[in-house]
Amino acid sequence: MPARRRTDPAAGREALSRWRSDPAAADRTTTATAVRASLEELAERAPGHSVEVRVAPFGVVQCLEGPRHTRGTPPNVVETDAATWLGLAVGDLRWADAVSAGRVRASGSRADLSALLPLVPAGAA
């Protein structure tokens, strides 16, 4: 079953577009909407519960098929900040570069999201 969207897709695209045009000028609401919409897109494209993606303080989602965790810290976790996540989502930042720079903390054998990013085609956000 696909993840339930809580963010209107049109509002999410608009927030991503505003964020991408000037990340430094994006307000908290724009950033939060862009993060939540992109996390929901990830969960829709890669449904499952084997990896938890955390973008504090704005959202968390589980994705990718595989073993499901039910208690405690999941074995496969991706953690990053909003600016890094959105850079990855729109293709302004490469996964490998973000990981090597320490901007993404990915633990577990399934925590590599490089094949799923970017979420937004070039020029679409």
Side-chain angles (χ1 to χ4, degrees), residues 33-58:
T33 301
V35 167
R36 290 177 185 134
S38 59
L39 286 172
E40 290 168 5
E41 180 66 22
L42 174 66
E44 187 172 287
R45 289 186 187 188
H49 299 281
S50 69
V51 177
E52 188 165 285
V53 181
R54 301 171 180 168
V55 183
F58 301 113

Short mmCIF file of all heavy atoms in Angstrom, two decimals, residues 33-58:
data_model
loop_
_atom_site.label_atom_id
_atom_site.label_comp_id
_atom_site.label_asym_id
_atom_site.label_seq_id
_atom_site.Cartn_x
_atom_site.Cartn_y
_atom_site.Cartn_z
N THR A 33 7.15 22.47 4.02
CA THR A 33 6.28 21.90 2.99
C THR A 33 7.09 21.19 1.93
O THR A 33 6.72 20.09 1.50
CB THR A 33 5.41 23.01 2.35
OG1 THR A 33 4.63 23.63 3.39
CG2 THR A 33 4.49 22.45 1.29
N ALA A 34 8.19 21.78 1.52
CA ALA A 34 9.05 21.15 0.50
C ALA A 34 9.63 19.83 1.01
O ALA A 34 9.66 18.83 0.29
CB ALA A 34 10.16 22.11 0.10
N VAL A 35 10.09 19.81 2.26
CA VAL A 35 10.65 18.59 2.84
C VAL A 35 9.58 17.51 2.93
O VAL A 35 9.79 16.37 2.50
CB VAL A 35 11.27 18.85 4.23
CG1 VAL A 35 11.55 17.55 4.96
CG2 VAL A 35 12.54 19.68 4.10
N ARG A 36 8.44 17.85 3.48
CA ARG A 36 7.38 16.85 3.67
C ARG A 36 6.89 16.30 2.33
O ARG A 36 6.69 15.09 2.19
CB ARG A 36 6.23 17.45 4.47
CG ARG A 36 6.64 17.69 5.92
CD ARG A 36 5.55 18.36 6.73
NE ARG A 36 6.08 18.65 8.06
CZ ARG A 36 5.93 19.80 8.68
NH1 ARG A 36 5.24 20.78 8.13
NH2 ARG A 36 6.45 19.98 9.87
N ALA A 37 6.70 17.17 1.36
CA ALA A 37 6.24 16.71 0.04
C ALA A 37 7.27 15.80 -0.61
O ALA A 37 6.91 14.77 -1.21
CB ALA A 37 5.95 17.92 -0.86
N SER A 38 8.54 16.13 -0.49
CA SER A 38 9.57 15.30 -1.11
C SER A 38 9.74 13.96 -0.38
O SER A 38 9.98 12.93 -1.02
CB SER A 38 10.90 16.05 -1.21
OG SER A 38 11.35 16.46 0.06
N LEU A 39 9.59 13.96 0.93
CA LEU A 39 9.63 12.69 1.66
C LEU A 39 8.45 11.81 1.27
O LEU A 39 8.60 10.59 1.10
CB LEU A 39 9.63 12.94 3.17
CG LEU A 39 10.93 13.45 3.77
CD1 LEU A 39 10.72 13.83 5.23
CD2 LEU A 39 12.05 12.45 3.62
N GLU A 40 7.28 12.41 1.11
CA GLU A 40 6.11 11.63 0.69
C GLU A 40 6.31 11.07 -0.72
O GLU A 40 5.91 9.95 -1.02
CB GLU A 40 4.86 12.51 0.76
CG GLU A 40 4.45 12.81 2.18
CD GLU A 40 3.39 13.90 2.30
OE1 GLU A 40 2.88 14.38 1.27
OE2 GLU A 40 3.08 14.27 3.45
N GLU A 41 6.95 11.85 -1.58
CA GLU A 41 7.26 11.37 -2.93
C GLU A 41 8.21 10.18 -2.88
O GLU A 41 8.04 9.20 -3.59
CB GLU A 41 7.86 12.52 -3.76
CG GLU A 41 8.21 12.12 -5.18
CD GLU A 41 7.01 11.77 -6.05
OE1 GLU A 41 5.88 12.19 -5.75
OE2 GLU A 41 7.22 11.06 -7.05
N LEU A 42 9.22 10.26 -2.04
CA LEU A 42 10.14 9.15 -1.86
C LEU A 42 9.41 7.89 -1.42
O LEU A 42 9.61 6.81 -1.98
CB LEU A 42 11.23 9.51 -0.85
CG LEU A 42 12.20 8.39 -0.47
CD1 LEU A 42 13.05 7.99 -1.67
CD2 LEU A 42 13.06 8.82 0.71
N ALA A 43 8.55 8.03 -0.42
CA ALA A 43 7.81 6.87 0.09
C ALA A 43 6.86 6.29 -0.95
O ALA A 43 6.64 5.08 -0.99
CB ALA A 43 7.03 7.27 1.35
N GLU A 44 6.33 7.15 -1.81
CA GLU A 44 5.44 6.67 -2.87
C GLU A 44 6.23 5.92 -3.94
O GLU A 44 5.78 4.90 -4.45
CB GLU A 44 4.68 7.84 -3.48
CG GLU A 44 3.61 7.39 -4.47
CD GLU A 44 2.75 8.54 -4.90
OE1 GLU A 44 1.94 9.00 -4.08
OE2 GLU A 44 2.90 8.99 -6.07
N ARG A 45 7.39 6.42 -4.29
CA ARG A 45 8.21 5.79 -5.33
C ARG A 45 8.88 4.50 -4.85
O ARG A 45 9.15 3.61 -5.65
CB ARG A 45 9.30 6.75 -5.81
CG ARG A 45 8.78 7.87 -6.61
CD ARG A 45 9.90 8.68 -7.16
NE ARG A 45 9.40 9.87 -7.82
CZ ARG A 45 10.16 10.67 -8.52
NH1 ARG A 45 11.45 10.43 -8.66
NH2 ARG A 45 9.64 11.74 -9.09
N ALA A 46 9.20 4.45 -3.58
CA ALA A 46 9.90 3.28 -3.02
C ALA A 46 9.18 2.83 -1.75
O ALA A 46 9.69 2.98 -0.64
CB ALA A 46 11.35 3.65 -2.72
N PRO A 47 7.98 2.27 -1.91
CA PRO A 47 7.21 1.88 -0.72
C PRO A 47 7.90 0.77 0.07
O PRO A 47 8.62 -0.05 -0.50
CB PRO A 47 5.87 1.40 -1.29
CG PRO A 47 6.16 1.07 -2.72
CD PRO A 47 7.31 1.92 -3.14
N GLY A 48 7.67 0.78 1.35
CA GLY A 48 8.24 -0.24 2.22
C GLY A 48 8.56 0.35 3.58
O GLY A 48 8.24 1.50 3.87
N HIS A 49 9.22 -0.48 4.38
CA HIS A 49 9.50 -0.06 5.76
C HIS A 49 10.90 -0.44 6.21
O HIS A 49 11.16 -0.52 7.40
CB HIS A 49 8.48 -0.69 6.72
CG HIS A 49 7.08 -0.28 6.43
ND1 HIS A 49 6.58 0.93 6.82
CD2 HIS A 49 6.09 -0.91 5.76
CE1 HIS A 49 5.33 1.03 6.42
NE2 HIS A 49 5.00 -0.07 5.77
N SER A 50 11.83 -0.67 5.28
CA SER A 50 13.14 -1.12 5.72
C SER A 50 14.14 0.00 5.98
O SER A 50 15.15 -0.22 6.63
CB SER A 50 13.74 -2.11 4.71
OG SER A 50 14.06 -1.47 3.50
N VAL A 51 13.87 1.21 5.49
CA VAL A 51 14.77 2.34 5.70
C VAL A 51 13.95 3.50 6.26
O VAL A 51 12.88 3.81 5.75
CB VAL A 51 15.46 2.79 4.40
CG1 VAL A 51 16.34 4.01 4.64
CG2 VAL A 51 16.28 1.65 3.81
N GLU A 52 14.47 4.14 7.29
CA GLU A 52 13.83 5.32 7.84
C GLU A 52 14.65 6.53 7.44
O GLU A 52 15.86 6.58 7.69
CB GLU A 52 13.73 5.22 9.36
CG GLU A 52 12.91 6.34 9.97
CD GLU A 52 12.52 6.02 11.40
OE1 GLU A 52 11.61 5.19 11.60
OE2 GLU A 52 13.14 6.62 12.30
N VAL A 53 14.01 7.50 6.80
CA VAL A 53 14.67 8.73 6.38
C VAL A 53 14.18 9.85 7.29
O VAL A 53 12.99 10.12 7.36
CB VAL A 53 14.36 9.06 4.90
CG1 VAL A 53 15.08 10.33 4.48
CG2 VAL A 53 14.75 7.89 4.00
N ARG A 54 15.12 10.48 7.98
CA ARG A 54 14.81 11.53 8.96
C ARG A 54 15.38 12.86 8.51
O ARG A 54 16.58 12.98 8.28
CB ARG A 54 15.41 11.19 10.32
CG ARG A 54 14.94 9.86 10.89
CD ARG A 54 15.73 9.49 12.11
NE ARG A 54 15.30 8.22 12.68
CZ ARG A 54 15.97 7.57 13.60
NH1 ARG A 54 17.10 8.07 14.10
NH2 ARG A 54 15.50 6.42 14.06
N VAL A 55 14.51 13.85 8.39
CA VAL A 55 14.92 15.21 8.06
C VAL A 55 14.37 16.12 9.16
O VAL A 55 13.28 16.65 9.06
CB VAL A 55 14.41 15.64 6.66
CG1 VAL A 55 14.92 17.03 6.32
CG2 VAL A 55 14.84 14.63 5.60
N ALA A 56 15.13 16.20 10.22
CA ALA A 56 14.69 16.96 11.40
C ALA A 56 14.76 18.45 11.12
O ALA A 56 15.66 18.91 10.41
CB ALA A 56 15.57 16.61 12.59
N PRO A 57 13.84 19.21 11.63
CA PRO A 57 12.70 18.82 12.45
C PRO A 57 11.42 18.63 11.64
O PRO A 57 10.33 18.58 12.21
CB PRO A 57 12.54 20.01 13.39
CG PRO A 57 12.88 21.19 12.52
CD PRO A 57 13.98 20.67 11.58
N PHE A 58 11.53 18.50 10.33
CA PHE A 58 10.35 18.59 9.47
C PHE A 58 9.65 17.28 9.13
O PHE A 58 8.46 17.30 8.84
CB PHE A 58 10.70 19.32 8.18
CG PHE A 58 11.20 20.70 8.43
CD1 PHE A 58 12.50 21.05 8.15
CD2 PHE A 58 10.38 21.67 8.98
CE1 PHE A 58 12.97 22.33 8.38
CE2 PHE A 58 10.82 22.95 9.22
CZ PHE A 58 12.12 23.29 8.92
#
